[in-house]
Amino acid sequence: MLSAVFASVLAFLSVLCAFPAPYGGVPVLEGLSAALGRLGTIGPFAAYRRRESLRERRRSCLVHLPVLLDVLTLGLTAGLSFDASLELYCSRYRNDLSASLSEAMASWRIGLSTRSEALAHLAEELDVDALQRFASAVTEALAFGSPLADVLEHQAQAIRDEHRSHVEEEIEKVPVKMLIPLGTLIVPAMLLAILGPLMGPAFNSF
């Protein structure tokens, strides 16, 4: 939320500085806009941006992971290998998960790490429980020769159910979160709008 407010302020200042004087183009505004832009690269602001970027990667991973599992299941069922099915997904989809998996796949293909190490490192980096379960299931299935398609199909359904439950919890929290702007912005404005006309004549009588 803070990042959205920060971006909105920067966008407003940029638009305002684009107008000629006296409505814009003020050197003070230009300096303020530049200062706000530099805040995102120093101190706690940079750490906050990194946390937000990692949180966005995790969210994107959870959203796209069921589709990945579906594609892998279809590929394995059609007779493709795990690597061929994974490459099919990475070539057809453009998102954070496919980019991370492409890097991991390249690392085990050129011998920098094994498949299990690359997947485990990716799951540890993103710190997503569903991805860690996926990496463990792939490693065990390929190591012991057990059928992987059925396991991935069940995992995809479980992740969808988990994501649906998370969305329902977030929806239930919305009314509570709305109490803050309602109590600090809307209610005072309504009181001013109602009491203002009534109190005006009283002040004018003094």
Side-chain angles (χ1 to χ4, degrees), residues 177-192:
K177 294 179 179 179
M178 287 298 296
L179 291 177
I180 298 177
L182 182 65
T184 57
L185 299 176
I186 300 177
V187 172
M190 291 178 62
L191 291 176
L192 287 175

Side-chain angles (χ1 to χ4, degrees), residues 70-140:
D70 289 340
V71 173
L72 291 178
T73 301
L74 291 174
L76 293 170
T77 305
L80 297 177
S81 64
F82 173 78
D83 288 5
S85 302
L86 184 59
E87 186 176 5
L88 177 64
Y89 172 80
C90 295
S91 63
R92 296 296 180 89
Y93 294 88
R94 293 291 182 268
N95 50 59
D96 292 335
L97 180 60
S98 64
S100 300
L101 287 172
S102 296
E103 295 177 1
M105 186 165 51
S107 68
W108 77 62
R109 281 183 171 178
I110 63 178
L112 290 178
S113 62
T114 63
R115 182 187 292 105
S116 59
E117 291 173 348
L119 292 175
H121 176 72
L122 176 60
E124 182 180 358
E125 178 184 359
L126 294 178
D127 193 19
V128 177
D129 293 338
L131 190 59
Q132 292 175 354
R133 293 195 298 267
F134 164 73
S136 300
V138 170
T139 301
E140 293 175 1

